[in-house]
Each structure stands twice: as structure tokens, then as C-alpha cells.
Amino acid sequence: LLKLYNFLNKNYSFIMSSTSQKHRNFVSEPMMEKPVKELAGIGEVLSGRLAEKGFDKAYVVLGQFLLLKKNQELFMEWLKETCGANAKQSLDCYNCLREWCNSFI
């Protein structure tokens, strides 16, 4: 039992440290009217580019995420094409929305 506890404790710490504070903040509460820049992986520059194309709120990006059936490859490619996000930014945003959906939908 002690080995299991130590294993889980070690892995939980790793999981928590592998996501940003921004990610943890976003997935910890309902989305409401949060601006798109509150999504993990989306900063000022990308949020501006997304807003120019009508994706000004996190829930609008969530809608696209759902239209793409939560498919990682399709969503990351869409984000790259839409606002120029790199692989890390796209993956961070994907993981943020996936975890939020797992918690709230």
C-alpha cells in the first residue's frame, strides 16, 4: 500500500508540474465569458489573431474544438492555420480544452 501511495504521489506531482498555472486556472472553473487569451497556449499575439477571425472568447474556440470532434491532430492543425500557433502552443490549448471538457461536459 505504501508503494502504491508513493507511486501515485510521485506521478500526481509530475502531472501537476507538466501543466502551466494558466492551464490549471482555466480548467478549475466554468468557462463563462473568458477571453480567448485565458486558454493555455494562447498569449497576446495569438489571441489578437484569433479575435480578428471572430474567435474572441474561449467558448468560441471550444465550439471549433467540438466541431472537430475533439480530434487532436485536426484541432492543432486548425489552430496553426488560423493564428500561426506552433506545436507547443497548439498542444497546450488542445490539452486545456480537453481537460476542461472532461470536467464540465
Side-chain angles (χ1 to χ4, degrees), residues 35-38 41-57 82-84:
V36 70
K37 69 181 179 182
E38 291 196 28
I42 306 298
E44 291 295 328
V45 173
L46 296 184
S47 69
R49 292 175 187 164
L50 285 164
E52 287 173 4
K53 296 184 178 179
F55 297 91
D56 58 334
K57 301 287 184 182
T82 303
C83 66

Side-chain angles (χ1 to χ4, degrees), residues 30-36 38 56-59:
M31 196 173 297
M32 309 293 286
E33 294 284 328
K34 289 182 182 179
V36 70
E38 291 196 28
D56 58 334
K57 301 287 184 182
Y59 67 79

Side-chain angles (χ1 to χ4, degrees), residues 26-82:
F26 189 87
V27 301
S28 70
E29 60 188 16
M31 196 173 297
M32 309 293 286
E33 294 284 328
K34 289 182 182 179
V36 70
K37 69 181 179 182
E38 291 196 28
L39 285 164
I42 306 298
E44 291 295 328
V45 173
L46 296 184
S47 69
R49 292 175 187 164
L50 285 164
E52 287 173 4
K53 296 184 178 179
F55 297 91
D56 58 334
K57 301 287 184 182
Y59 67 79
V60 182
V61 176
L62 172 65
Q64 184 65 29
F65 175 80
L66 295 173
L67 282 172
L68 296 172
K69 299 183 179 182
K70 303 188 225 179
N71 180 286
Q72 180 178 345
E73 184 179 340
L74 292 176
F75 180 77
M76 290 177 65
E77 184 64 28
W78 171 81
L79 205 55
K80 177 183 175 184
E81 291 174 2
T82 303

Side-chain angles (χ1 to χ4, degrees), residues 10-35:
K10 179 181 175 185
N11 286 312
Y12 179 72
S13 297
F14 171 74
I15 290 168
M16 290 305 290
S17 66
S18 67
T19 59
S20 66
Q21 185 63 49
K22 189 175 183 181
H23 172 105
R24 292 188 297 274
N25 289 345
F26 189 87
V27 301
S28 70
E29 60 188 16
M31 196 173 297
M32 309 293 286
E33 294 284 328
K34 289 182 182 179

Side-chain angles (χ1 to χ4, degrees), residues 77-96:
E77 184 64 28
W78 171 81
L79 205 55
K80 177 183 175 184
E81 291 174 2
T82 303
C83 66
N86 65 32
K88 182 184 183 325
Q89 292 164 327
S90 298
L91 183 59
D92 287 350
C93 187
Y94 169 82
N95 285 331
C96 185

